[in-house]
Amino acid sequence: MTVSAKLTWLSHGSWLIEAGDSRILLDPFLTDNPAAKATADSLTDISDVLVSHAHFDHINDVASISKRCGSTLIGAFEVVQWFQKHHHVKNAVMMNLGGSCKLPCGQLKMVPAVHSSSFPDGSYGGNPAGYLLTINTKRIYFACDTAYFSDMRFYAHGVDVAVLPIGDLFTMGIEDCIEAVKLIEPKVVLPAHYGTWPPIATDAVQWSGRVSAETKAKPVVLAVGESYEV
Ligand code: NI
Ligand code: MN
């Protein structure tokens, strides 16, 4: 049986990943997100909530959605511990960098990201992470919030889809993203973490043109709410 994955961009760093019976929500930030079109309440039957790091723009709707849907919360040890302590989240998988776990739809690996991670209340949020998702033979790399760093190639070289931030200021911008695409050599690359607020407004069309001109990857710019199937 071939399970394909459907990646829907919910804006910013938020993605809905549908594969087989899994509906995985990465970094849910819909409430107080000016770019979001969906509300947190509209997301139903979420099997797993995946968190890359503890910043508010990645965890705002983690507690409400995972409690309402009975989702399994997956994230860094410290992130999961915080949600257990403050929100009594029940189902959880604690991970750390370099570790993998099995999901019904495939394999998930937590990989490094060069960023920071603390909760809005100042608590330590563990190491920031990216995720590598393997569904059947397809590999999908979510770099999440990160600077450009050369180990991206080690973890994600040749992936079918790479999801990279382009908004600059808090993560890499267009310039470094182009270098990252050259290094990772993904088949397809999707931009994220831009356009949410004026400070991370950027020209995705310019980015797309540069990816096409300077790399072998195929850029796919999704509008908020649009999906890409792999
Ligand atoms: Ni962040
Ligand atoms: Mn962020």
Side-chain angles (χ1 to χ4, degrees), residues 53 55 57-58 115-116 145 170 193:
H53 66 293
H55 289 156
D57 57 321
H58 298 258
H115 194 63
S116 61
D145 283 19
F170 303 111
H193 213 276

Side-chain angles (χ1 to χ4, degrees), residues 18-212:
E18 293 167 279
D21 292 332
S22 295
R23 280 168 58 81
I24 304 165
L25 191 57
L26 170 64
D27 287 352
F29 172 46
L30 302 153
T31 306
D32 298 329
N33 172 350
K37 290 194 172 148
T39 61
D41 286 345
S42 71
L43 295 166
T44 52
D45 299 322
I46 300 300
S47 53
D48 308 270
V49 175
L50 192 56
V51 179
S52 67
H53 66 293
H55 289 156
F56 79 97
D57 57 321
H58 298 258
I59 62 153
N60 237 12
D61 296 303
V62 166
S64 68
I65 293 172
S66 50
K67 281 206 269 188
R68 177 169 49 78
C69 299
S71 326
T72 300
L73 173 62
I74 306 174
F77 184 86
E78 293 83 354
V79 166
V80 171
Q81 216 171 33
W82 190 90
F83 277 103
Q84 288 176 331
K85 185 178 170 196
H86 296 277
H87 294 282
H88 310 288
V89 165
K90 288 197 184 78
N91 313 322
V93 176
M94 295 170 158
M95 298 184 78
N96 215 327
L97 299 178
S100 297
C101 71
K102 273 209 171 9
L103 297 176
C105 64
Q107 182 93 2
L108 177 75
K109 182 171 185 173
M110 184 182 246
V111 297
V114 176
H115 194 63
S116 61
S117 180
S118 54
F119 284 94
D121 66 5
S123 316
Y124 175 57
N127 286 307
Y131 287 103
L132 200 58
L133 193 54
T134 306
I135 296 168
N136 272 319
T137 55
K138 303 292 185 184
R139 295 163 70 228
I140 304 163
Y141 172 49
F142 288 92
C144 301
D145 283 19
T146 187
Y148 165 61
F149 65 107
S150 59
D151 280 0
M152 284 178 157
R153 183 179 172 91
F154 174 77
Y155 288 107
H157 184 247
V159 289
D160 293 279
V161 179
V163 179
L164 304 178
I166 64 166
D168 215 335
L169 195 62
F170 303 111
T171 66
M172 59 185 169
I174 291 178
E175 203 65 43
D176 282 358
C177 185
I178 298 298
E179 294 309 310
V181 174
K182 288 178 190 167
L183 209 65
I184 298 166
E185 300 188 295
K187 292 191 179 79
V188 170
V189 58
L190 314 183
H193 213 276
Y194 72 97
T196 322
W197 305 283
I200 58 168
T202 195
D203 188 349
V205 174
Q206 189 215 340
W207 170 84
S208 174
R210 285 197 57 183
V211 171
S212 297

